[in-house]
Amino acid sequence: MKIGIVCYPTFGGSGVVATELGKALANQGHQVHFITYSQPARLDFFSANLFYHEVSVRDYPLFDYAPYESALASKLVDVVRFEQLDILHVHYAIPHASAAFMAKQILATYGINIPVVTTLHGTDITLVGKDATYKPVVTFSINQSDGVTTVSEDLREDTYRHFEISKDIKVIPNFIDFNRFSLQPKDHFKKAIAPNNERILIHTSNFRKVKRTEDVILMFHKVLEKIPAKLLMVGDGPERSANEQLCRELNICDSVRFLGKQDAVEEILSVSDLFIIPSENESFGLAALEAMACKVPVISSNAGGLPELNVDDFCGYMCDVGDVEDMANKAVTILSNQKTLDYFKENALIRAKDFDLRKILPQYVAFYEEVIAGQRKS
Ligand code: GMT
């Protein structure tokens, strides 16, 4: 198949899923064309089956806001025509699904019927999409897509609850590539971070409010009262400086390291004992899956799609949103006994294997084939 993929080319979860999906499809022999405003972060190597088309937005003095959506739609028309694509797969509803709809209409005037699959990732529905500013466009473009997927049952239900959707939505969860995410021997690194064998807790995110990074600090403060530990905060975003300030107020700066954005997250996960994800909402929690693949158990909130990933009392624990006391107690339960920790670590890997790329990729391929066949019939 010749597949066009539209995504945000950043480190965010939807961009990561789109890029890893494209890479895996290319490995299988499909021709994959990424159409974005800059080269996706994880597309940093050569493959004969991978192509990148840049959407450039011209700035004119007339524009207060450059019309990215129109530039993207025009680029989609151009790439679909020139490369003779079989299908477009757009990740994140805004503005990708509506740009794809516009491109589809334009292409129809050339006698080309391009099927469009839209994958909803989370905040395009739970935060941004629900906003009245975008809601009619999001609803319309989901309904106009030829196929729609969400990354969890919970996001599917949320989409039906908050929008008037007439389409069937298929759930295809996030996946993990074990070639990259697996436990690596990094003992020297572990020694440097925790010289006295302290337990290492880790959080990775984009530090948006929805991630409740403050809860990570607050629960860690309570953990420190019971066991020696270190906390690694990986990533960057709006809440980071307030979190750093909170560490000063709690006098725990010696035990907390803010590492900023990191490319080789798998190396840092490899030295970690426990992953914390206390989000207010989380459609799936790819960051937690990455941790589990590196044998790191997870303390999560029970929000959104997290219960579809984390299995309570098996590979971690789930707590109510904001219950930092419970999170700390459960963290101590896992961390204070080596046998218990080893049990949770093994189970984290077992659970991660349910989301092996090799299991999930065929679901996308089958869905593309179904959507293309449906288009031919109509
Ligand atoms: O988590 C983020 O803030 C990034 C966001 C995105 O849209 O890029 O991630 C969302 O999509 C990921 C991939 O499908 C999911 O694993 C994340 O759970 C989801 N984030 C939220 O729902 C907050």
Side-chain angles (χ1 to χ4, degrees), residues 32-80:
V32 178
H33 294 260
F34 283 92
I35 304 145
T36 68
Y37 58 80
S38 71
Q39 179 115 349
R42 290 196 185 178
L43 206 68
D44 50 2
F45 62 95
F46 171 76
S47 158
N49 289 335
L50 283 175
F51 299 83
Y52 162 60
H53 308 269
E54 185 178 289
V55 182
S56 56
V57 188
R58 289 275 162 77
D59 209 1
Y60 291 107
L62 182 70
F63 297 149
D64 277 340
Y65 305 99
Y68 176 68
E69 199 169 335
S70 298
L72 174 60
S74 296
K75 193 73 184 176
L76 291 177
V77 170
D78 176 65
V79 176
V80 171

Side-chain angles (χ1 to χ4, degrees), residues 8 10-17 92 119-124 126-127 151 174 205-206 208 210-211 277 279 281-287:
Y8 283 107
T10 51
F11 279 99
S14 63
V16 169
V17 168
Y92 212 87
T119 289
L120 308 172
H121 281 271
T123 48
D124 47 354
T126 54
L127 287 179
V151 296
N174 284 176
S205 78
N206 49 22
R208 286 188 293 159
V210 68
K211 300 291 176 182
I277 177 165
S279 308
N281 209 335
E282 194 69 57
S283 66
F284 180 87
L286 180 61

